[in-house]
CSV table of all heavy atoms in Angstrom, one decimal:
chain,number,residue,atom,x,y,z
A,1,SER,N,0.8,-1.2,0.0
A,1,SER,CA,0.0,0.0,0.0
A,1,SER,C,0.9,1.3,0.0
A,1,SER,O,2.0,1.2,0.3
A,1,SER,CB,-0.9,0.0,1.2
A,1,SER,OG,-0.2,0.1,2.4
A,2,LEU,N,0.3,2.4,-0.4
A,2,LEU,CA,0.9,3.7,-0.4
A,2,LEU,C,0.0,4.6,0.5
A,2,LEU,O,-1.1,5.0,0.1
A,2,LEU,CB,1.0,4.2,-1.9
A,2,LEU,CG,1.6,5.6,-2.1
A,2,LEU,CD1,2.9,5.8,-1.4
A,2,LEU,CD2,1.7,5.9,-3.6
A,3,MET,N,0.5,4.9,1.7
A,3,MET,CA,-0.2,5.4,2.7
A,3,MET,C,0.3,6.7,3.1
A,3,MET,O,1.5,6.9,3.1
A,3,MET,CB,-0.3,4.5,4.0
A,3,MET,CG,-1.3,4.9,5.1
A,3,MET,SD,-1.0,4.0,6.6
A,3,MET,CE,0.0,5.2,7.4
A,4,GLY,N,-0.5,7.7,3.5
A,4,GLY,CA,-0.2,9.0,4.0
A,4,GLY,C,-0.4,9.1,5.5
A,4,GLY,O,-1.4,8.5,6.0
A,5,LEU,N,0.5,9.8,6.1
A,5,LEU,CA,0.4,10.1,7.6
A,5,LEU,C,0.4,11.5,7.7
A,5,LEU,O,1.5,12.2,7.5
A,5,LEU,CB,1.5,9.4,8.4
A,5,LEU,CG,1.5,9.4,9.8
A,5,LEU,CD1,0.4,8.8,10.4
A,5,LEU,CD2,2.8,8.8,10.4
A,6,ILE,N,-0.7,12.2,8.2
A,6,ILE,CA,-0.8,13.6,8.3
A,6,ILE,C,-1.3,14.0,9.7
A,6,ILE,O,-1.7,13.2,10.6
A,6,ILE,CB,-1.7,14.3,7.3
A,6,ILE,CG1,-3.2,13.9,7.6
A,6,ILE,CG2,-1.3,13.9,5.9
A,6,ILE,CD1,-4.2,14.6,6.7
A,7,GLY,N,-1.0,15.3,10.0
A,7,GLY,CA,-1.5,15.9,11.2
A,7,GLY,C,-0.8,17.2,11.5
A,7,GLY,O,0.2,17.5,10.8
A,8,PRO,N,-1.3,18.0,12.4
A,8,PRO,CA,-0.7,19.3,12.6
A,8,PRO,C,0.8,19.1,13.2
A,8,PRO,O,1.2,18.1,13.6
A,8,PRO,CB,-1.5,20.0,13.8
A,8,PRO,CG,-2.8,19.2,13.8
A,8,PRO,CD,-2.5,17.8,13.3
A,9,ASN,N,1.6,20.3,13.2
A,9,ASN,CA,2.8,20.2,13.8
A,9,ASN,C,2.7,19.7,15.3
A,9,ASN,O,1.8,20.2,16.0
A,9,ASN,CB,3.5,21.6,13.8
A,9,ASN,CG,4.0,22.0,12.3
A,9,ASN,OD1,4.2,21.1,11.6
A,9,ASN,ND2,4.0,23.3,12.1
A,10,GLY,N,3.6,18.8,15.6
A,10,GLY,CA,3.6,18.2,17.0
A,10,GLY,C,2.6,17.1,17.2
A,10,GLY,O,2.4,16.7,18.4
A,11,ALA,N,2.0,16.6,16.1
A,11,ALA,CA,1.0,15.5,16.2
A,11,ALA,C,1.7,14.2,16.5
A,11,ALA,O,1.0,13.2,17.0
A,11,ALA,CB,0.2,15.4,15.0
A,12,GLY,N,3.1,14.1,16.3
A,12,GLY,CA,3.7,12.8,16.7
A,12,GLY,C,4.2,12.1,15.4
A,12,GLY,O,4.7,10.9,15.6
A,13,LYS,N,4.0,12.6,14.3
A,13,LYS,CA,4.4,11.8,13.0
A,13,LYS,C,5.8,11.4,13.0
A,13,LYS,O,6.1,10.2,12.8
A,13,LYS,CB,4.0,12.6,11.8
A,13,LYS,CG,2.5,13.2,11.8
A,13,LYS,CD,2.2,14.0,10.7
A,13,LYS,CE,3.0,15.2,10.6
A,13,LYS,NZ,2.7,16.2,11.5
A,14,SER,N,6.7,12.4,13.1
A,14,SER,CA,8.1,12.0,13.0
A,14,SER,C,8.6,11.2,14.2
A,14,SER,O,9.5,10.3,14.1
A,14,SER,CB,9.0,13.4,13.0
A,14,SER,OG,8.7,14.0,11.7
A,15,THR,N,8.0,11.5,15.4
A,15,THR,CA,8.3,10.6,16.5
A,15,THR,C,8.0,9.2,16.3
A,15,THR,O,8.7,8.2,16.6
A,15,THR,CB,7.6,11.1,17.8
A,15,THR,OG1,8.0,12.5,18.1
A,15,THR,CG2,8.0,10.2,19.0
A,16,LEU,N,6.8,8.9,15.6
A,16,LEU,CA,6.4,7.6,15.3
A,16,LEU,C,7.4,7.0,14.3
A,16,LEU,O,7.7,5.8,14.5
A,16,LEU,CB,5.0,7.6,14.7
A,16,LEU,CG,4.4,6.3,14.4
A,16,LEU,CD1,4.2,5.4,15.7
A,16,LEU,CD2,3.0,6.4,13.7
A,17,PHE,N,7.9,7.7,13.3
A,17,PHE,CA,8.8,7.2,12.4
A,17,PHE,C,10.0,6.8,13.1
A,17,PHE,O,10.7,5.7,12.9
A,17,PHE,CB,9.2,8.2,11.4
A,17,PHE,CG,8.3,8.1,10.1
A,17,PHE,CD1,7.2,7.4,10.1
A,17,PHE,CD2,8.7,8.8,8.9
A,17,PHE,CE1,6.4,7.4,9.0
A,17,PHE,CE2,8.0,8.8,7.8
A,17,PHE,CZ,6.8,8.0,7.8
A,18,ASN,N,10.5,7.6,14.1
A,18,ASN,CA,11.7,7.3,15.0
A,18,ASN,C,11.5,6.0,15.7
A,18,ASN,O,12.4,5.3,16.0
A,18,ASN,CB,12.0,8.5,15.9
A,18,ASN,CG,12.6,9.6,15.1
A,18,ASN,OD1,13.2,9.5,14.0
A,18,ASN,ND2,12.4,10.8,15.6
A,19,LEU,N,10.3,5.8,16.2
A,19,LEU,CA,10.0,4.6,17.0
A,19,LEU,C,10.0,3.4,16.1
A,19,LEU,O,10.5,2.3,16.5
A,19,LEU,CB,8.5,4.7,17.6
A,19,LEU,CG,8.5,5.7,18.8
A,19,LEU,CD1,7.0,6.0,19.1
A,19,LEU,CD2,9.2,5.3,20.0
A,20,ILE,N,9.4,3.5,14.9
A,20,ILE,CA,9.4,2.3,14.0
A,20,ILE,C,10.9,2.0,13.6
A,20,ILE,O,11.2,0.8,13.4
A,20,ILE,CB,8.6,2.7,12.7
A,20,ILE,CG1,7.1,2.9,13.0
A,20,ILE,CG2,8.7,1.5,11.7
A,20,ILE,CD1,6.3,3.5,11.9
A,21,SER,N,11.7,3.0,13.4
A,21,SER,CA,13.0,2.7,12.8
A,21,SER,C,14.0,2.5,14.0
A,21,SER,O,15.2,2.3,13.7
A,21,SER,CB,13.5,3.8,12.0
A,21,SER,OG,13.5,5.1,12.7
A,22,GLY,N,13.6,2.6,15.2
A,22,GLY,CA,14.5,2.2,16.3
A,22,GLY,C,15.3,3.2,16.9
A,22,GLY,O,16.1,3.1,17.8
A,23,LEU,N,15.2,4.5,16.4
A,23,LEU,CA,15.9,5.6,17.0
A,23,LEU,C,15.4,5.9,18.4
A,23,LEU,O,16.1,6.4,19.3
A,23,LEU,CB,15.8,6.9,16.1
A,23,LEU,CG,16.5,6.7,14.8
A,23,LEU,CD1,16.2,8.0,13.9
A,23,LEU,CD2,17.9,6.4,14.9
A,24,TYR,N,14.0,5.7,18.7
A,24,TYR,CA,13.5,5.8,20.0
A,24,TYR,C,12.9,4.5,20.3
A,24,TYR,O,12.6,3.7,19.4
A,24,TYR,CB,12.4,6.8,20.1
A,24,TYR,CG,12.7,8.3,19.8
A,24,TYR,CD1,11.8,9.2,19.2
A,24,TYR,CD2,14.1,8.8,20.0
A,24,TYR,CE1,12.1,10.4,19.0
A,24,TYR,CE2,14.4,10.1,19.7
A,24,TYR,CZ,13.3,10.9,19.2
A,24,TYR,OH,13.7,12.2,18.9
A,25,GLU,N,12.8,4.2,21.6
A,25,GLU,CA,12.1,2.9,22.1
A,25,GLU,C,10.8,3.3,22.8
A,25,GLU,O,10.9,4.3,23.7
A,25,GLU,CB,13.0,2.1,23.0
A,25,GLU,CG,12.4,0.8,23.3
A,25,GLU,CD,13.3,-0.1,24.0
A,25,GLU,OE1,14.5,0.0,23.8
A,25,GLU,OE2,12.9,-1.1,24.7
A,26,PRO,N,9.7,2.8,22.4
A,26,PRO,CA,8.4,3.2,23.0
A,26,PRO,C,8.4,2.8,24.6
A,26,PRO,O,9.1,1.8,24.9
A,26,PRO,CB,7.4,2.5,22.3
A,26,PRO,CG,8.1,1.3,21.7
A,26,PRO,CD,9.5,1.8,21.5
A,27,GLU,N,7.6,3.5,25.3
A,27,GLU,CA,7.4,3.1,26.8
A,27,GLU,C,6.4,1.9,26.8
A,27,GLU,O,6.5,1.1,27.8
A,27,GLU,CB,6.8,4.3,27.4
A,27,GLU,CG,7.7,5.5,27.6
A,27,GLU,CD,7.0,6.8,27.6
A,27,GLU,OE1,5.7,6.8,27.8
A,27,GLU,OE2,7.6,7.9,27.6
A,28,SER,N,5.6,1.8,25.9
A,28,SER,CA,4.7,0.7,25.8
A,28,SER,C,4.2,0.4,24.4
A,28,SER,O,4.4,1.2,23.5
A,28,SER,CB,3.4,1.0,26.7
A,28,SER,OG,2.8,2.1,26.2
A,29,GLY,N,3.7,-0.8,24.2
A,29,GLY,CA,3.1,-1.1,22.9
A,29,GLY,C,4.1,-2.0,22.1
A,29,GLY,O,5.2,-2.3,22.5
A,30,SER,N,3.6,-2.3,20.9
A,30,SER,CA,4.3,-3.3,20.0
A,30,SER,C,4.3,-2.7,18.7
A,30,SER,O,3.4,-2.1,18.1
A,30,SER,CB,3.6,-4.6,20.1
A,30,SER,OG,4.1,-5.5,19.0
A,31,ILE,N,5.4,-2.9,17.9
A,31,ILE,CA,5.6,-2.6,16.5
A,31,ILE,C,6.1,-3.8,15.8
A,31,ILE,O,7.3,-4.2,16.1
A,31,ILE,CB,6.5,-1.4,16.3
A,31,ILE,CG1,6.1,-0.2,17.1
A,31,ILE,CG2,6.7,-1.0,14.8
A,31,ILE,CD1,7.1,1.0,17.1
A,32,ARG,N,5.4,-4.3,14.9
A,32,ARG,CA,5.7,-5.6,14.3
A,32,ARG,C,5.7,-5.4,12.8
A,32,ARG,O,4.8,-4.9,12.1
A,32,ARG,CB,4.7,-6.7,14.6
A,32,ARG,CG,4.7,-7.0,16.1
A,32,ARG,CD,3.8,-8.2,16.4
A,32,ARG,NE,4.4,-9.4,16.0
A,32,ARG,CZ,5.3,-10.1,16.8
A,32,ARG,NH1,5.6,-9.7,17.9
A,32,ARG,NH2,5.8,-11.3,16.3
A,33,LEU,N,6.9,-5.8,12.2
A,33,LEU,CA,7.0,-5.9,10.7
A,33,LEU,C,7.0,-7.2,10.1
A,33,LEU,O,8.0,-8.0,10.6
A,33,LEU,CB,8.3,-5.1,10.3
A,33,LEU,CG,8.6,-5.1,8.8
A,33,LEU,CD1,7.7,-4.1,8.0
A,33,LEU,CD2,10.0,-4.6,8.5
A,34,ASP,N,6.1,-7.6,9.4
A,34,ASP,CA,6.1,-9.0,8.8
A,34,ASP,C,6.2,-10.0,9.9
A,34,ASP,O,6.9,-11.1,9.8
A,34,ASP,CB,7.3,-9.2,7.8
A,34,ASP,CG,7.0,-10.2,6.7
A,34,ASP,OD1,5.8,-10.6,6.7
A,34,ASP,OD2,7.9,-10.5,6.0
A,35,ASP,N,5.4,-9.7,11.0
A,35,ASP,CA,5.3,-10.5,12.2
A,35,ASP,C,6.6,-10.6,13.1
A,35,ASP,O,6.7,-11.5,14.0
A,35,ASP,CB,4.8,-11.9,11.9
A,35,ASP,CG,4.0,-12.5,13.0
A,35,ASP,OD1,3.3,-11.7,13.7
A,35,ASP,OD2,3.9,-13.7,13.2
A,36,GLU,N,7.6,-9.7,12.8
A,36,GLU,CA,8.8,-9.6,13.6
A,36,GLU,C,8.7,-8.4,14.5
A,36,GLU,O,8.4,-7.3,14.0
A,36,GLU,CB,10.0,-9.5,12.7
A,36,GLU,CG,10.4,-10.7,11.9
A,36,GLU,CD,11.4,-11.6,12.7
A,36,GLU,OE1,11.7,-11.3,13.8
A,36,GLU,OE2,11.7,-12.7,12.2
A,37,GLU,N,8.8,-8.5,15.8
A,37,GLU,CA,8.8,-7.5,16.7
A,37,GLU,C,10.0,-6.6,16.6
A,37,GLU,O,11.2,-7.1,16.6
A,37,GLU,CB,8.8,-8.0,18.2
A,37,GLU,CG,8.7,-6.9,19.2
A,37,GLU,CD,7.5,-6.0,19.1
A,37,GLU,OE1,6.3,-6.6,19.2
A,37,GLU,OE2,7.6,-4.8,18.9
A,38,LEU,N,9.8,-5.2,16.4
A,38,LEU,CA,10.9,-4.3,16.2
A,38,LEU,C,11.3,-3.7,17.5
A,38,LEU,O,12.5,-3.2,17.6
A,38,LEU,CB,10.5,-3.3,15.2
A,38,LEU,CG,10.0,-3.7,13.8
A,38,LEU,CD1,9.8,-2.5,12.9
A,38,LEU,CD2,11.1,-4.6,13.2
A,39,VAL,N,10.4,-3.6,18.5
A,39,VAL,CA,10.7,-2.9,19.7
A,39,VAL,C,11.9,-3.6,20.5
A,39,VAL,O,11.8,-4.9,20.6
A,39,VAL,CB,9.5,-2.8,20.7
A,39,VAL,CG1,9.9,-2.3,22.0
A,39,VAL,CG2,8.4,-1.9,20.0
A,40,GLY,N,12.9,-2.8,20.8
A,40,GLY,CA,14.0,-3.4,21.6
A,40,GLY,C,15.2,-3.7,20.6
A,40,GLY,O,16.3,-4.1,21.1
A,41,ARG,N,15.0,-3.6,19.3
A,41,ARG,CA,16.1,-3.9,18.3
A,41,ARG,C,16.9,-2.6,18.0
A,41,ARG,O,16.3,-1.5,18.1
A,41,ARG,CB,15.5,-4.5,17.1
A,41,ARG,CG,14.9,-5.9,17.2
A,41,ARG,CD,14.4,-6.4,15.9
A,41,ARG,NE,13.6,-7.6,15.9
A,41,ARG,CZ,14.2,-8.8,15.7
A,41,ARG,NH1,15.5,-9.0,15.4
A,41,ARG,NH2,13.5,-9.9,15.8
């Protein structure tokens, strides 16, 4: 799919990208790619 992620400044979009790519680690929750857990990597 080709998906857009929008919201006002400060909505958390870039932070979410940083969480997915591992630059930040979430306090809670799960991020799975192709059924592989990314959190903690």
